[in-house]
Amino acid sequence: MSSLIVMRSTPYGNTNAKDALDVILTLAAFEQEPVMLYQGLGVQQLLLEASMDTPFKHVGKILGALPMYDVETVYVDQTSLVEHSIKPEQLQDLPVACQLLTSHQVSDLLHSHLHVMVF
Amino acid sequence: MTQLTYCLVVRCGPHQQSQALSAIEFARSLLERGHKLERVFFYQQGVLTASSLRSPAQGDLDITKQWQQLQKAHEFDLDACIAAALHNGIVNEEESQRYELSAHNLAQGFALAGLGQLASATVTCDRVMTFGANL
């Protein structure tokens, strides 16, 4: 039974993104095959180029480690991308593949997981 | 009715009353309905719940005490993430000695645990729920 981790926080000004990735890497190390969904402000985490000068470590480098933990694909809420003016092309060079989901598909994904952690 | 085993993840501090309260109310409800609570995992600001030095203002609920009472009655694990606890100044005697700190303050009934405990709870529990809003 895999866990769904919902990334809903901006990467700036708090450590939610990093704390969520710590959980994901731990789950993966325990072979729990975590599933990731980027939603709301969380989609900003996928803009590695937009790294700002903050005292918090940028999550970009950790994303690069995901394939080593067998996390090859992450889900991204398409509506959230539109809301934050992010084009799908901007996600092309990420170390993980992004699969865009419609609102209905997001709903299905949430319903299909009994273990959900929101960050 | 099918009995389910739950793990609750609490991400918010005890002073963030409504969210912290939702977690303990949910725990109470599920136990009242005959479900099993295996573990409450305190992460991020949630670890502040595990401090024995909290003194809530008069009239405010003492969430730490409430968890301790509930645990006494129902026997489940109250785990504070060790990395988050160390960041937030919550230590047990062992860690206090290891880091040569002047005191220790982990509240009774709580334990420090690694993220591995959370991962293992996702294996053994039927449901994992998160409490704590994103600001």
Side-chain angles (χ1 to χ4, degrees):
Chain A
M1 195 157 28
S2 67
S3 297
L4 175 66
I5 316 294
V6 187
M7 314 292 272
R8 235 176 241 169
S9 303
T10 166
Y12 313 117
N14 66 65
T15 61
N16 287 340
K18 166 76 168 53
D19 293 338
L21 283 160
D22 282 347
V23 170
I24 287 154
L25 295 183
T26 307
L27 287 170
F30 280 74
E31 298 179 346
Q32 294 306 303
E33 299 174 14
V35 177
M36 297 168 69
L37 167 67
Y38 287 87
Q39 197 181 32
L41 281 169
V43 294
Q44 291 180 343
Q45 294 177 33
L46 298 167
L47 298 177
L48 302 190
E49 296 301 313
S51 168
M52 276 165 56
D53 197 16
T54 77
F56 297 105
K57 285 179 204 152
H58 197 267
V59 294
K61 280 189 182 144
I62 306 176
L63 280 188
L66 289 175
M68 281 187 277
Y69 286 82
D70 291 329
V71 180
E72 309 274 356
T73 305
V74 299
Y75 295 108
V76 182
D77 178 10
Q78 203 164 20
T79 317
S80 304
L81 282 188
V82 175
E83 276 168 7
H84 292 87
S85 308
I86 299 170
K87 296 188 185 74
E89 301 91 83
Q90 289 174 271
L91 308 180
Q92 268 169 3
D93 296 329
L94 286 174
V96 284
C98 292
Q99 189 174 334
L100 304 191
L101 301 183
T102 63
S103 303
H104 278 292
Q105 288 170 321
V106 168
S107 169
D108 287 344
L109 186 71
L110 285 164
H111 275 114
S112 66
H113 285 85
L114 301 175
H115 296 168
V116 181
M117 294 183 231
V118 182
F119 286 90
Chain B
M1 188 195 69
T2 326
Q3 191 199 46
L4 297 173
T5 309
Y6 280 82
C7 170
L8 307 186
V9 182
V10 180
R11 295 178 44 224
C12 58
H15 55 283
Q16 287 156 309
Q17 288 273 323
S18 79
Q19 293 287 320
L21 213 61
S22 299
I24 194 153
E25 290 297 337
F26 187 86
R28 266 196 206 108
S29 295
L30 75 89
L31 290 164
E32 269 165 26
R33 280 152 209 241
H35 295 296
K36 192 171 172 259
L37 181 57
E38 180 174 299
R39 168 167 294 137
V40 184
F41 192 87
F42 296 90
Y43 194 40
Q44 300 186 289
Q45 301 291 305
V47 298
L48 295 170
T49 314
S51 169
S52 62
L53 299 178
R54 297 185 55 249
S55 313
Q58 214 175 4
D60 277 358
L61 266 184
D62 188 340
I63 300 268
T64 305
K65 207 186 236 169
Q66 303 255 327
W67 278 118
Q68 287 169 323
Q69 284 167 353
L70 197 64
Q71 184 204 36
K72 236 179 190 164
H74 296 277
E75 285 187 25
F76 51 87
D77 289 334
L78 288 174
D79 285 342
C81 170
I82 187 164
L86 290 171
H87 285 156
N88 285 287
I90 311 291
V91 286
N92 58 10
E93 198 171 351
E94 194 185 338
E95 296 304 313
S96 171
Q97 281 168 6
R98 190 198 312 271
Y99 292 95
E100 297 178 3
L101 304 174
S102 58
H104 55 88
N105 61 342
L106 186 72
Q108 207 173 11
F110 288 81
L112 297 182
L115 280 174
Q117 293 285 20
L118 177 60
S120 97
T122 67
V123 179
T124 53
C125 294
D126 300 309
R127 298 285 187 278
V128 177
M129 317 268 300
T130 321
F131 292 86
N134 285 331
L135 302 173

